[in-house]
PDB file of all heavy atoms in Angstrom:
ATOM      1  N   GLY P 470     108.727 192.387 130.207  1.00 95.00           N
ATOM      2  CA  GLY P 470     108.852 193.115 128.939  1.00 95.00           C
ATOM      3  C   GLY P 470     110.084 194.006 128.823  1.00 95.00           C
ATOM      4  O   GLY P 470     110.446 194.419 127.739  1.00 95.00           O
ATOM      5  N   PHE P 471     110.723 194.289 129.970  1.00 97.00           N
ATOM      6  CA  PHE P 471     111.793 195.284 129.918  1.00 97.00           C
ATOM      7  C   PHE P 471     112.938 194.827 129.029  1.00 97.00           C
ATOM      8  O   PHE P 471     113.327 195.532 128.128  1.00 97.00           O
ATOM      9  CB  PHE P 471     112.321 195.581 131.347  1.00 97.00           C
ATOM     10  CG  PHE P 471     113.415 196.598 131.383  1.00 97.00           C
ATOM     11  CD1 PHE P 471     113.122 197.945 131.327  1.00 97.00           C
ATOM     12  CD2 PHE P 471     114.755 196.242 131.419  1.00 97.00           C
ATOM     13  CE1 PHE P 471     114.066 198.902 131.330  1.00 97.00           C
ATOM     14  CE2 PHE P 471     115.750 197.164 131.428  1.00 97.00           C
ATOM     15  CZ  PHE P 471     115.441 198.521 131.383  1.00 97.00           C
ATOM     16  N   TRP P 472     113.513 193.651 129.316  1.00 96.00           N
ATOM     17  CA  TRP P 472     114.626 193.148 128.470  1.00 96.00           C
ATOM     18  C   TRP P 472     114.085 192.228 127.395  1.00 96.00           C
ATOM     19  O   TRP P 472     114.818 191.956 126.416  1.00 96.00           O
ATOM     20  CB  TRP P 472     115.575 192.283 129.303  1.00 96.00           C
ATOM     21  CG  TRP P 472     116.199 192.863 130.504  1.00 96.00           C
ATOM     22  CD1 TRP P 472     115.916 192.547 131.790  1.00 96.00           C
ATOM     23  CD2 TRP P 472     117.271 193.847 130.516  1.00 96.00           C
ATOM     24  NE1 TRP P 472     116.759 193.306 132.631  1.00 96.00           N
ATOM     25  CE2 TRP P 472     117.587 194.070 131.912  1.00 96.00           C
ATOM     26  CE3 TRP P 472     118.005 194.506 129.586  1.00 96.00           C
ATOM     27  CZ2 TRP P 472     118.593 194.938 132.313  1.00 96.00           C
ATOM     28  CZ3 TRP P 472     118.960 195.429 129.991  1.00 96.00           C
ATOM     29  CH2 TRP P 472     119.269 195.611 131.367  1.00 96.00           C
ATOM     30  N   ALA P 473     112.835 191.688 127.575  1.00 94.00           N
ATOM     31  CA  ALA P 473     112.348 190.619 126.719  1.00 94.00           C
ATOM     32  C   ALA P 473     113.275 189.385 126.808  1.00 94.00           C
ATOM     33  O   ALA P 473     113.599 188.790 125.778  1.00 94.00           O
ATOM     34  CB  ALA P 473     112.163 191.073 125.291  1.00 94.00           C
ATOM     35  N   LEU P 474     113.759 189.079 127.998  1.00 94.00           N
ATOM     36  CA  LEU P 474     114.665 187.934 128.240  1.00 94.00           C
ATOM     37  C   LEU P 474     113.961 186.821 128.980  1.00 94.00           C
ATOM     38  O   LEU P 474     114.043 185.665 128.560  1.00 94.00           O
ATOM     39  CB  LEU P 474     115.886 188.366 129.047  1.00 94.00           C
ATOM     40  CG  LEU P 474     116.890 189.297 128.357  1.00 94.00           C
ATOM     41  CD1 LEU P 474     117.938 189.738 129.377  1.00 94.00           C
ATOM     42  CD2 LEU P 474     117.560 188.600 127.197  1.00 94.00           C
ATOM     43  N   ALA P 475     113.303 187.122 130.092  1.00 93.00           N
ATOM     44  CA  ALA P 475     112.595 186.122 130.880  1.00 93.00           C
ATOM     45  C   ALA P 475     111.163 186.057 130.454  1.00 93.00           C
ATOM     46  O   ALA P 475     110.545 187.066 130.080  1.00 93.00           O
ATOM     47  CB  ALA P 475     112.695 186.452 132.373  1.00 93.00           C
ATOM     48  N   THR P 476     110.569 184.872 130.519  1.00 92.00           N
ATOM     49  CA  THR P 476     109.149 184.712 130.207  1.00 92.00           C
ATOM     50  C   THR P 476     108.301 185.169 131.353  1.00 92.00           C
ATOM     51  O   THR P 476     108.758 185.224 132.509  1.00 92.00           O
ATOM     52  CB  THR P 476     108.808 183.253 129.874  1.00 92.00           C
ATOM     53  OG1 THR P 476     108.964 182.507 131.058  1.00 92.00           O
ATOM     54  CG2 THR P 476     109.735 182.696 128.791  1.00 92.00           C
ATOM     55  N   PRO P 477     107.033 185.511 131.126  1.00 92.00           N
ATOM     56  CA  PRO P 477     106.151 185.885 132.244  1.00 92.00           C
ATOM     57  C   PRO P 477     106.077 184.810 133.315  1.00 92.00           C
ATOM     58  O   PRO P 477     106.051 185.083 134.531  1.00 92.00           O
ATOM     59  CB  PRO P 477     104.789 186.110 131.565  1.00 92.00           C
ATOM     60  CG  PRO P 477     105.137 186.544 130.185  1.00 92.00           C
ATOM     61  CD  PRO P 477     106.373 185.765 129.799  1.00 92.00           C
ATOM     62  N   ARG P 478     106.095 183.504 132.904  1.00 94.00           N
ATOM     63  CA  ARG P 478     106.056 182.436 133.885  1.00 94.00           C
ATOM     64  C   ARG P 478     107.312 182.416 134.735  1.00 94.00           C
ATOM     65  O   ARG P 478     107.251 182.233 135.942  1.00 94.00           O
ATOM     66  CB  ARG P 478     105.917 181.101 133.130  1.00 94.00           C
ATOM     67  CG  ARG P 478     105.940 179.894 134.118  1.00 94.00           C
ATOM     68  CD  ARG P 478     105.676 178.614 133.379  1.00 94.00           C
ATOM     69  NE  ARG P 478     104.323 178.553 132.859  1.00 94.00           N
ATOM     70  CZ  ARG P 478     103.856 177.478 132.176  1.00 94.00           C
ATOM     71  NH1 ARG P 478     104.599 176.447 131.974  1.00 94.00           N
ATOM     72  NH2 ARG P 478     102.605 177.524 131.702  1.00 94.00           N
ATOM     73  N   GLU P 479     108.487 182.760 134.108  1.00 96.00           N
ATOM     74  CA  GLU P 479     109.721 182.794 134.891  1.00 96.00           C
ATOM     75  C   GLU P 479     109.734 183.967 135.873  1.00 96.00           C
ATOM     76  O   GLU P 479     110.235 183.869 136.983  1.00 96.00           O
ATOM     77  CB  GLU P 479     110.910 182.870 133.923  1.00 96.00           C
ATOM     78  CG  GLU P 479     111.193 181.521 133.251  1.00 96.00           C
ATOM     79  CD  GLU P 479     112.259 181.655 132.191  1.00 96.00           C
ATOM     80  OE1 GLU P 479     112.289 182.731 131.469  1.00 96.00           O
ATOM     81  OE2 GLU P 479     113.037 180.712 132.019  1.00 96.00           O
ATOM     82  N   VAL P 480     109.149 185.085 135.433  1.00 97.00           N
ATOM     83  CA  VAL P 480     109.004 186.254 136.293  1.00 97.00           C
ATOM     84  C   VAL P 480     108.099 185.905 137.506  1.00 97.00           C
ATOM     85  O   VAL P 480     108.391 186.233 138.656  1.00 97.00           O
ATOM     86  CB  VAL P 480     108.510 187.476 135.556  1.00 97.00           C
ATOM     87  CG1 VAL P 480     108.279 188.615 136.514  1.00 97.00           C
ATOM     88  CG2 VAL P 480     109.473 187.927 134.481  1.00 97.00           C
ATOM     89  N   ASP P 481     106.998 185.196 137.194  1.00 96.00           N
ATOM     90  CA  ASP P 481     106.111 184.779 138.314  1.00 96.00           C
ATOM     91  C   ASP P 481     106.864 183.918 139.334  1.00 96.00           C
ATOM     92  O   ASP P 481     106.698 184.092 140.535  1.00 96.00           O
ATOM     93  CB  ASP P 481     104.919 183.992 137.734  1.00 96.00           C
ATOM     94  CG  ASP P 481     103.869 184.878 137.139  1.00 96.00           C
ATOM     95  OD1 ASP P 481     103.832 186.089 137.455  1.00 96.00           O
ATOM     96  OD2 ASP P 481     103.059 184.355 136.346  1.00 96.00           O
ATOM     97  N   GLY P 482     107.672 183.009 138.816  1.00 97.00           N
ATOM     98  CA  GLY P 482     108.460 182.133 139.703  1.00 97.00           C
ATOM     99  C   GLY P 482     109.467 182.952 140.521  1.00 97.00           C
ATOM    100  O   GLY P 482     109.665 182.701 141.737  1.00 97.00           O
ATOM    101  N   TRP P 483     110.080 183.953 139.882  1.00 98.00           N
ATOM    102  CA  TRP P 483     111.051 184.797 140.618  1.00 98.00           C
ATOM    103  C   TRP P 483     110.380 185.615 141.659  1.00 98.00           C
ATOM    104  O   TRP P 483     110.866 185.712 142.806  1.00 98.00           O
ATOM    105  CB  TRP P 483     111.779 185.721 139.619  1.00 98.00           C
ATOM    106  CG  TRP P 483     112.780 186.616 140.290  1.00 98.00           C
ATOM    107  CD1 TRP P 483     114.023 186.285 140.636  1.00 98.00           C
ATOM    108  CD2 TRP P 483     112.521 188.007 140.677  1.00 98.00           C
ATOM    109  NE1 TRP P 483     114.632 187.390 141.228  1.00 98.00           N
ATOM    110  CE2 TRP P 483     113.756 188.463 141.231  1.00 98.00           C
ATOM    111  CE3 TRP P 483     111.484 188.845 140.558  1.00 98.00           C
ATOM    112  CZ2 TRP P 483     113.886 189.748 141.742  1.00 98.00           C
ATOM    113  CZ3 TRP P 483     111.599 190.161 141.040  1.00 98.00           C
ATOM    114  CH2 TRP P 483     112.809 190.612 141.597  1.00 98.00           C
ATOM    115  N   VAL P 484     109.188 186.168 141.371  1.00 97.00           N
ATOM    116  CA  VAL P 484     108.407 186.915 142.339  1.00 97.00           C
ATOM    117  C   VAL P 484     108.057 186.050 143.554  1.00 97.00           C
ATOM    118  O   VAL P 484     108.197 186.445 144.737  1.00 97.00           O
ATOM    119  CB  VAL P 484     107.154 187.578 141.697  1.00 97.00           C
ATOM    120  CG1 VAL P 484     106.227 188.133 142.774  1.00 97.00           C
ATOM    121  CG2 VAL P 484     107.563 188.633 140.730  1.00 97.00           C
ATOM    122  N   ALA P 485     107.581 184.848 143.258  1.00 97.00           N
ATOM    123  CA  ALA P 485     107.227 183.924 144.356  1.00 97.00           C
ATOM    124  C   ALA P 485     108.430 183.596 145.224  1.00 97.00           C
ATOM    125  O   ALA P 485     108.355 183.511 146.471  1.00 97.00           O
ATOM    126  CB  ALA P 485     106.617 182.642 143.803  1.00 97.00           C
ATOM    127  N   LEU P 486     109.574 183.380 144.601  1.00 97.00           N
ATOM    128  CA  LEU P 486     110.794 183.028 145.320  1.00 97.00           C
ATOM    129  C   LEU P 486     111.305 184.180 146.190  1.00 97.00           C
ATOM    130  O   LEU P 486     111.885 183.938 147.249  1.00 97.00           O
ATOM    131  CB  LEU P 486     111.886 182.600 144.305  1.00 97.00           C
ATOM    132  CG  LEU P 486     113.166 182.014 144.859  1.00 97.00           C
ATOM    133  CD1 LEU P 486     112.883 180.676 145.588  1.00 97.00           C
ATOM    134  CD2 LEU P 486     114.147 181.813 143.714  1.00 97.00           C
ATOM    135  N   ASN P 487     111.045 185.397 145.741  1.00 97.00           N
ATOM    136  CA  ASN P 487     111.592 186.594 146.451  1.00 97.00           C
ATOM    137  C   ASN P 487     110.499 187.439 147.109  1.00 97.00           C
ATOM    138  O   ASN P 487     110.725 188.621 147.357  1.00 97.00           O
ATOM    139  CB  ASN P 487     112.371 187.475 145.456  1.00 97.00           C
ATOM    140  CG  ASN P 487     113.611 186.770 144.922  1.00 97.00           C
ATOM    141  OD1 ASN P 487     114.658 186.789 145.568  1.00 97.00           O
ATOM    142  ND2 ASN P 487     113.496 186.123 143.763  1.00 97.00           N
ATOM    143  N   ARG P 488     109.358 186.825 147.321  1.00 96.00           N
ATOM    144  CA  ARG P 488     108.207 187.565 147.873  1.00 96.00           C
ATOM    145  C   ARG P 488     108.491 188.290 149.158  1.00 96.00           C
ATOM    146  O   ARG P 488     108.069 189.408 149.422  1.00 96.00           O
ATOM    147  CB  ARG P 488     107.012 186.613 148.065  1.00 96.00           C
ATOM    148  CG  ARG P 488     105.717 187.338 148.339  1.00 96.00           C
ATOM    149  CD  ARG P 488     104.542 186.352 148.405  1.00 96.00           C
ATOM    150  NE  ARG P 488     104.412 185.648 147.131  1.00 96.00           N
ATOM    151  CZ  ARG P 488     103.818 186.147 146.088  1.00 96.00           C
ATOM    152  NH1 ARG P 488     103.317 187.400 146.073  1.00 96.00           N
ATOM    153  NH2 ARG P 488     103.681 185.456 144.994  1.00 96.00           N
ATOM    154  N   ASP P 489     109.310 187.700 150.030  1.00 96.00           N
ATOM    155  CA  ASP P 489     109.624 188.336 151.325  1.00 96.00           C
ATOM    156  C   ASP P 489     110.479 189.570 151.141  1.00 96.00           C
ATOM    157  O   ASP P 489     110.485 190.444 152.052  1.00 96.00           O
ATOM    158  CB  ASP P 489     110.337 187.323 152.248  1.00 96.00           C
ATOM    159  CG  ASP P 489     109.411 186.185 152.671  1.00 96.00           C
ATOM    160  OD1 ASP P 489     108.199 186.396 152.558  1.00 96.00           O
ATOM    161  OD2 ASP P 489     109.923 185.153 153.147  1.00 96.00           O
ATOM    162  N   GLU P 490     111.220 189.690 150.085  1.00 97.00           N
ATOM    163  CA  GLU P 490     112.113 190.792 149.820  1.00 97.00           C
ATOM    164  C   GLU P 490     111.367 191.949 149.110  1.00 97.00           C
ATOM    165  O   GLU P 490     111.611 193.114 149.375  1.00 97.00           O
ATOM    166  CB  GLU P 490     113.330 190.396 149.047  1.00 97.00           C
ATOM    167  CG  GLU P 490     114.260 191.538 148.689  1.00 97.00           C
ATOM    168  CD  GLU P 490     115.360 191.141 147.744  1.00 97.00           C
ATOM    169  OE1 GLU P 490     115.410 189.968 147.275  1.00 97.00           O
ATOM    170  OE2 GLU P 490     116.230 192.048 147.391  1.00 97.00           O
ATOM    171  N   LEU P 491     110.502 191.569 148.188  1.00 97.00           N
ATOM    172  CA  LEU P 491     109.861 192.583 147.323  1.00 97.00           C
ATOM    173  C   LEU P 491     108.850 193.402 148.145  1.00 97.00           C
ATOM    174  O   LEU P 491     108.154 192.841 149.028  1.00 97.00           O
ATOM    175  CB  LEU P 491     109.188 191.891 146.141  1.00 97.00           C
ATOM    176  CG  LEU P 491     110.130 191.165 145.192  1.00 97.00           C
ATOM    177  CD1 LEU P 491     109.364 190.423 144.142  1.00 97.00           C
ATOM    178  CD2 LEU P 491     111.131 192.117 144.564  1.00 97.00           C
ATOM    179  N   VAL P 492     108.716 194.648 147.800  1.00 97.00           N
ATOM    180  CA  VAL P 492     107.837 195.580 148.473  1.00 97.00           C
ATOM    181  C   VAL P 492     106.594 195.826 147.638  1.00 97.00           C
ATOM    182  O   VAL P 492     106.691 196.375 146.541  1.00 97.00           O
ATOM    183  CB  VAL P 492     108.562 196.924 148.754  1.00 97.00           C
ATOM    184  CG1 VAL P 492     107.656 197.887 149.523  1.00 97.00           C
ATOM    185  CG2 VAL P 492     109.863 196.670 149.532  1.00 97.00           C
ATOM    186  N   PRO P 493     105.417 195.458 148.103  1.00 97.00           N
ATOM    187  CA  PRO P 493     104.205 195.760 147.362  1.00 97.00           C
ATOM    188  C   PRO P 493     103.837 197.231 147.457  1.00 97.00           C
ATOM    189  O   PRO P 493     103.971 197.841 148.536  1.00 97.00           O
ATOM    190  CB  PRO P 493     103.125 194.864 148.002  1.00 97.00           C
ATOM    191  CG  PRO P 493     103.625 194.670 149.429  1.00 97.00           C
ATOM    192  CD  PRO P 493     105.142 194.709 149.376  1.00 97.00           C
ATOM    193  N   VAL P 494     103.444 197.840 146.343  1.00 97.00           N
ATOM    194  CA  VAL P 494     103.063 199.264 146.344  1.00 97.00           C
ATOM    195  C   VAL P 494     101.825 199.449 145.493  1.00 97.00           C
ATOM    196  O   VAL P 494     101.451 198.577 144.714  1.00 97.00           O
ATOM    197  CB  VAL P 494     104.221 200.116 145.760  1.00 97.00           C
ATOM    198  CG1 VAL P 494     105.458 200.046 146.641  1.00 97.00           C
ATOM    199  CG2 VAL P 494     104.556 199.760 144.294  1.00 97.00           C
ATOM    200  N   ARG P 495     101.189 200.577 145.688  1.00 97.00           N
ATOM    201  CA  ARG P 495     100.152 201.065 144.798  1.00 97.00           C
ATOM    202  C   ARG P 495     100.653 202.372 144.179  1.00 97.00           C
ATOM    203  O   ARG P 495     101.234 203.202 144.897  1.00 97.00           O
ATOM    204  CB  ARG P 495      98.840 201.298 145.551  1.00 97.00           C
ATOM    205  CG  ARG P 495      98.097 200.052 145.962  1.00 97.00           C
ATOM    206  CD  ARG P 495      96.717 200.411 146.521  1.00 97.00           C
ATOM    207  NE  ARG P 495      96.874 201.241 147.742  1.00 97.00           N
ATOM    208  CZ  ARG P 495      96.827 200.739 148.968  1.00 97.00           C
ATOM    209  NH1 ARG P 495      96.622 199.457 149.179  1.00 97.00           N
ATOM    210  NH2 ARG P 495      96.949 201.582 150.025  1.00 97.00           N
ATOM    211  N   VAL P 496     100.457 202.490 142.886  1.00 98.00           N
ATOM    212  CA  VAL P 496     100.929 203.664 142.169  1.00 98.00           C
ATOM    213  C   VAL P 496      99.770 204.420 141.608  1.00 98.00           C
ATOM    214  O   VAL P 496      98.984 203.885 140.814  1.00 98.00           O
ATOM    215  CB  VAL P 496     101.974 203.307 141.061  1.00 98.00           C
ATOM    216  CG1 VAL P 496     102.522 204.544 140.403  1.00 98.00           C
ATOM    217  CG2 VAL P 496     103.037 202.392 141.621  1.00 98.00           C
ATOM    218  N   GLU P 497      99.611 205.672 142.013  1.00 98.00           N
ATOM    219  CA  GLU P 497      98.524 206.504 141.509  1.00 98.00           C
ATOM    220  C   GLU P 497      98.685 206.769 140.005  1.00 98.00           C
ATOM    221  O   GLU P 497      99.831 206.947 139.545  1.00 98.00           O
ATOM    222  CB  GLU P 497      98.448 207.818 142.218  1.00 98.00           C
ATOM    223  CG  GLU P 497      97.992 207.741 143.671  1.00 98.00           C
ATOM    224  CD  GLU P 497      97.905 209.083 144.350  1.00 98.00           C
ATOM    225  OE1 GLU P 497      98.400 210.073 143.746  1.00 98.00           O
ATOM    226  OE2 GLU P 497      97.324 209.150 145.475  1.00 98.00           O
ATOM    227  N   ILE P 498      97.600 206.757 139.293  1.00 97.00           N
ATOM    228  CA  ILE P 498      97.661 206.970 137.839  1.00 97.00           C
ATOM    229  C   ILE P 498      97.215 208.397 137.532  1.00 97.00           C
ATOM    230  O   ILE P 498      96.650 209.101 138.326  1.00 97.00           O
ATOM    231  CB  ILE P 498      96.846 205.930 137.067  1.00 97.00           C
ATOM    232  CG1 ILE P 498      95.366 205.999 137.444  1.00 97.00           C
ATOM    233  CG2 ILE P 498      97.409 204.534 137.351  1.00 97.00           C
ATOM    234  CD1 ILE P 498      94.521 205.031 136.639  1.00 97.00           C
TER     235      ILE P 498
END
Side-chain angles (χ1 to χ4, degrees):
F471 182 81
W472 305 108
L474 290 174
T476 67
R478 178 176 292 181
E479 287 173 322
V480 175
D481 282 342
W483 179 81
V484 170
L486 188 64
N487 294 276
R488 190 173 301 279
D489 291 343
E490 178 188 2
L491 298 175
V492 180
V494 298
R495 288 188 297 262
V496 184
E497 290 182 349
I498 62 176

